[in-house]
Amino acid sequence: MRVLLVEDDDRVAEALVPALTRRGFTVDRQATGRGTLDRLLGVDVVLLDLGLPDVDGVTLCRSIRAASDVAIIVVSARGEIDDRILGLHAGADDYLVKPYDVGELVARVHAVRRRRGDPVGVGGTGSEVFTVGDVRVDLARHEVTVAGSVVALSRKEFQVLALVVAAGGAVCTRERILAEIWGRTWSGANRTLDVHVATLRTKLGRSDLLETVRGVGYRLGTPGSGR
């Protein structure tokens, strides 16, 4: 997925660009408002800071929306409710207030793309492919490979893994996982989920890929130390 980051703060950009790249995004950075409209071709999501030095961010948001149907997520320090409403009315699909967690940003990017009915994947093929270290999850093919070797998973195991990986570091609560994958809850639901996660860790040989958030759920970790 190609992301255009419109951000004038070098410190923010220098931290965010590599963080998104590690999560499989192709990121271009635009440091000024002027020139942004010329860089929209081929872009899937625009991350737009409103506090630009040369143009008003809200005005630029309107201009982007008038010129393109690209997804727009405002990422701004302006956190008042009036600012959020203004940004959304200007054409933004979502609004995230700084400072924010990168995992939440990634989750919102995927959520916006899903809501819009856009394919979230690699190379515009319409297939969703996520890569974390040497683990590759192909949603369209329902295939998982580790270091190039296919790992056989049950349907539910694959769905749990895909949900957590697609969240990009944001926490997937137990309630959400059970609702989206099993469609219900029952007295032994948490135990069933724990067993599926334990089996996934064993089959993948990457025990730290699925990180437990105690009392909450699971999130994406970084495979390596748990091999």
Side-chain angles (χ1 to χ4, degrees):
M1 191 188 306
R2 183 173 292 278
V3 173
L4 178 61
L5 172 63
V6 186
E7 171 62 65
D8 68 305
D9 190 323
D10 290 337
R11 291 173 299 177
V12 173
E14 288 168 3
L16 187 55
V17 170
L20 292 176
T21 301
R22 286 194 299 271
R23 288 165 170 80
F25 295 92
T26 300
V27 185
D28 299 315
R29 188 249 179 133
Q30 174 73 23
T32 61
R34 292 188 179 90
T36 297
L37 298 181
D38 297 327
R39 303 189 65 179
L40 296 178
L41 185 62
V43 171
D44 298 300
V45 178
V46 174
L47 301 180
L48 176 62
D49 178 29
L50 296 183
L52 300 170
D54 57 338
V55 300
D56 176 69
V58 173
T59 299
L60 179 58
C61 186
R62 291 194 186 100
S63 298
I64 294 172
R65 177 55 65 233
S68 172
D69 193 39
V70 66
I72 304 170
I73 299 179
V74 169
V75 283
S76 174
R78 302 178 188 175
E80 297 297 325
I81 186 64
D82 288 344
D83 293 315
R84 300 186 193 192
I85 292 172
L86 190 60
L88 294 171
H89 279 314
D93 296 279
D94 202 350
Y95 195 114
L96 189 60
V97 178
K98 297 177 181 178
Y100 52 80
D101 180 80
V102 174
E104 181 182 1
L105 174 61
V106 170
R108 286 177 181 250
V109 168
H110 288 303
V112 163
R113 297 274 285 161
R114 285 195 300 269
R115 288 199 302 268
R116 293 165 59 89
D118 296 333
V120 183
V122 175
T125 61
S127 63
E128 298 186 23
V129 180
F130 298 94
T131 302
V132 186
D134 61 355
V135 180
R136 184 175 185 272
V137 182
D138 188 327
L139 300 193
R141 299 177 62 182
H142 272 241
E143 182 179 86
V144 176
T145 61
V146 176
S149 299
V150 176
V151 178
L153 301 178
S154 72
R155 181 176 180 179
K156 287 288 193 294
E157 289 164 357
F158 182 88
Q159 289 174 329
V160 170
L161 177 63
L163 184 61
V164 174
V165 169
V171 177
C172 292
T173 64
R174 289 176 173 272
E175 292 79 6
R176 178 189 172 190
I177 297 172
L178 291 169
E180 293 197 20
I181 295 176
W182 277 270
R184 62 190 178 94
T185 187
W186 63 100
S187 59
N190 284 328
R191 176 58 181 162
T192 296
L193 176 56
D194 289 340
V195 169
H196 277 74
V197 171
T199 303
L200 270 171
R201 288 169 171 161
T202 299
K203 287 185 175 182
L204 296 174
R206 304 289 184 269
S207 62
D208 46 3
L209 179 64
L210 300 178
E211 180 182 331
T212 300
V213 181
R214 193 170 302 277
V216 181
Y218 297 94
R219 67 184 171 198
L220 185 65
T222 303
S225 60
R227 295 183 182 184

